[in-house]
Amino acid sequence: MRAALLYGPDDLRIEDVPEPVGEVVVSVRAATTCGTDLKMLKHGHPTLGAYPARFGHETAGERFDTGERVLVGDSVPCGSCTCCSAGATHLCRAMTWVMGGFAERIAAPAAALHPIPDGLPFAAAAMAEPLAACVHAVGRGGRERVAVVLGGGTIGLMLARLLVLDGRDVTVVDRHPERRAQAESLGASATEALPPASGPLIFEAVGRPGAWHDALQLASPGGRVVMVGGCPSGDVPLPAGRIHYDEVDVVGAFHHRPAEVDEALLLLSTGAVDHLAFAGPAVGLDGLHAALAAPPWGAEARKLVVDPTR
């Protein structure tokens, strides 16, 4: 079968590889891309393992044995570490990561599979993985009615849509007019510059130290900041006075629980979250490298839909 393999930074090759071996084999029908895939392509990633490495973690397809339509979740918690025992399975200390969606077939533990609701396209189902992370992040934010989202990438836009669905007053901050237009189409307000007034609930969805700093500066006294964008490893300078004297709560939001994946699939299947708002063009495996390196949709926030049968 054919699969995309990373041999090193920016060295992606489409090769014939042995058939995958594992508990369940899934024929991939769609695998969507995200910013993490681009990071993996350019710089590698701790979850990749040794080169050459297969990648792609937003994957939907059909079980080879039964034909059932399934989303291949990108992780399986161990169930026995201290985090799992406390119910925080998304923070599992011995997580099994499931990579390799950019291929004709992928092997996965049965525990990683989620049934796809009837009528939901494979490309839409694949987006349940990042949407589940946003479901988790919104849950970390509390119940404030007014919210600001810093960053209009696909994660920021998904956060905005979930907050709008929850009846919140949402503003997305992004420098790209195309992304601001996308935010408005999802029911949010949008602005290029940071709002002049502080807000009680801020979601940071950029993943840069400067944005973390801006998020804390923007929060009102007693407010909350949810850090959704992952910064590079290392220390990030933050305005300590906002945390101490103004009692701004700072919380992280990482990954998702299996139940949040199922919730994301339901949101997509009912149309409450329209996957077409985030979908870019479909490409085959041979077009993956070029499309990741130079996305064909300009400044809009979109995901490639990789169809290995093309």
Side-chain angles (χ1 to χ4, degrees):
M1 70 161 200
R2 300 175 76 232
L5 276 78
L6 286 173
Y7 277 80
D10 211 29
D11 186 0
L12 187 154
R13 310 176 197 178
I14 308 301
E15 296 185 344
D16 290 320
V17 299
E19 290 289 334
V21 176
E23 193 172 345
V24 180
V25 175
V26 175
S27 296
V28 178
R29 296 291 179 252
T32 51
T33 61
C34 72
T36 300
D37 296 319
L38 186 58
K39 291 178 184 177
M40 290 178 172
L41 174 65
K42 296 295 185 182
H43 310 295
H45 196 273
T47 61
L48 274 179
Y51 291 123
R54 299 184 194 181
F55 74 132
H57 62 281
E58 301 177 9
T59 312
E62 297 172 323
R63 286 183 62 143
F64 200 68
D65 53 356
T66 66
E68 181 185 11
R69 293 167 10 104
V70 293
L71 168 72
V72 181
D74 64 351
S75 62
V76 177
C78 74
S80 58
C81 69
T82 54
C83 289
C84 286
S85 298
T89 55
H90 60 298
L91 300 178
C92 175
R93 300 296 89 184
M95 190 78 81
T96 296
W97 296 102
V98 182
M99 298 285 170
F102 301 142
E104 292 181 326
R105 285 172 288 283
I106 183 174
L113 305 183
H114 299 258
I116 297 175
D118 291 342
L120 186 65
F122 287 114
M127 295 185 198
E129 191 283 319
L131 183 60
C134 294
V135 169
H136 178 74
V138 169
R140 297 280 286 161
R143 299 300 310 165
E144 293 289 349
R145 189 185 67 82
V146 178
V148 176
V149 178
L150 301 187
T154 53
I155 291 295
L157 293 177
M158 285 181 174
L159 285 168
R161 180 57 183 163
L162 292 175
L163 291 163
V164 167
L165 287 174
D166 202 31
R168 318 287 187 100
D169 181 356
V170 186
T171 300
V172 174
V173 182
D174 195 279
R175 63 187 178 89
H176 300 288
E178 298 89 344
R179 296 184 179 188
R180 296 199 298 273
Q182 285 180 279
E184 290 170 353
S185 73
L186 297 171
S189 301
T191 180
E192 179 178 4
L194 291 174
S198 58
L201 178 58
I202 314 295
F203 289 87
E204 188 284 330
V206 178
R208 290 198 295 267
W212 279 38
H213 191 278
D214 288 343
L216 262 167
Q217 294 286 34
L218 188 59
S220 56
R224 172 169 290 198
V225 174
V226 184
M227 301 300 194
V228 187
C231 280
S233 60
D235 294 337
V236 176
L238 295 176
R242 301 308 323 281
I243 299 171
H244 179 67
Y245 295 106
D246 291 334
E247 290 193 351
V248 173
D249 289 337
V250 181
V251 300
F254 173 72
H255 204 44
H256 46 65
R257 299 178 178 91
E260 291 163 333
V261 177
D262 292 329
E263 182 176 347
L265 283 167
L266 180 61
L267 287 163
L268 289 161
S269 68
T270 61
V273 177
D274 183 1
H275 83 282
L276 294 177
F278 311 101
V283 299
L285 291 172
D286 292 321
L288 174 60
H289 193 178
L292 275 176
W297 51 80
E300 285 190 329
R302 301 216 171 256
K303 291 174 168 290
L304 282 172
V305 179
V306 181
D307 180 354
T309 67
R310 290 169 65 102

